[in-house]
Amino acid sequence: DSINYCANYGRLYTWTEVIGAPSKYDTVTFNPTLPAQGVCPNGWHVPSDSEWTTMQLLIVDASYTTDGTKLKSTSGWSHSGNGTDDYGFRALPGGAFNGTVFGNVGYYGYWWSATEDGASWAWFRDMTCIYAYVERVYSYKSNEFSLRCTKD
């Protein structure tokens, strides 16, 4: 809801925008061919749920609790929730938009995957300033989250 947020955290997208599908697929199964380029530039694609999982498994510690800290930027997170950015991922807390309200900027980051979970839902990852891990969750496709494209 602010040009400054967009400049600092990037744009928020619905799942169908990310995939490049018409909005009618917010409540209808779409199942894009993977890898899905969607809004990503040439040579890049929207990461699948399994690609997110693979990345997480490569960076977790024995307790599976610090992958978020290792991916979060070293600044920009509220409540001393900054990360160590061990891999140059620089995850920022861009918040979300649920169709009515923008929220959680500075507190949460949400990133889409290209993978659906039924007609109205798709998988995403989130990180928060409070916890040090990455959470795997599904949400309505019509919510707006960030996107991190993956190099082909």
Side-chain angles (χ1 to χ4, degrees), residues 52-106:
W52 269 102
T53 298
T54 298
M55 179 183 68
Q56 287 178 258
L57 290 173
L58 290 172
I59 64 173
V60 295
D61 63 357
S63 64
Y64 294 91
T65 58
T66 62
D67 50 341
T69 298
K70 293 175 181 181
L71 294 173
K72 288 193 278 184
S73 64
T74 58
S75 63
W77 291 81
S78 299
H79 299 297
S80 302
N82 295 324
T84 56
D85 195 25
D86 293 354
Y87 298 92
F89 192 82
R90 294 183 295 280
L92 289 169
F97 180 62
N98 69 5
T100 305
V101 176
F102 285 93
N104 293 325
V105 174

Side-chain angles (χ1 to χ4, degrees), residues 10-148:
R11 184 165 179 231
L12 302 178
Y13 302 88
T14 66
W15 184 84
T16 50
E17 287 174 325
V18 161
I19 296 303
S23 62
K24 72 178 182 178
Y25 291 106
D26 282 351
T27 56
V28 177
T29 301
F30 181 70
N31 285 323
T33 301
L34 298 178
Q37 183 179 356
V39 298
C40 296
N42 288 334
W44 296 77
H45 65 273
V46 180
S48 67
D49 182 60
S50 65
E51 286 177 303
W52 269 102
T53 298
T54 298
M55 179 183 68
Q56 287 178 258
L57 290 173
L58 290 172
I59 64 173
V60 295
D61 63 357
S63 64
Y64 294 91
T65 58
T66 62
D67 50 341
T69 298
K70 293 175 181 181
L71 294 173
K72 288 193 278 184
S73 64
T74 58
S75 63
W77 291 81
S78 299
H79 299 297
S80 302
N82 295 324
T84 56
D85 195 25
D86 293 354
Y87 298 92
F89 192 82
R90 294 183 295 280
L92 289 169
F97 180 62
N98 69 5
T100 305
V101 176
F102 285 93
N104 293 325
V105 174
Y107 298 92
Y108 280 85
Y110 308 87
W111 296 269
W112 284 119
S113 82
T115 308
E116 287 182 298
D117 185 44
S120 298
W121 306 85
W123 290 101
F124 70 95
R125 296 303 192 278
D126 76 10
M127 295 177 222
T128 174
C129 62
I130 300 168
Y131 300 112
Y133 57 84
V134 177
E135 184 175 35
R136 177 182 182 255
V137 191
Y138 58 89
S139 178
Y140 286 113
K141 294 175 184 176
S142 58
N143 285 336
E144 294 185 18
F145 300 148
S146 299
L147 169 67
R148 288 301 292 266

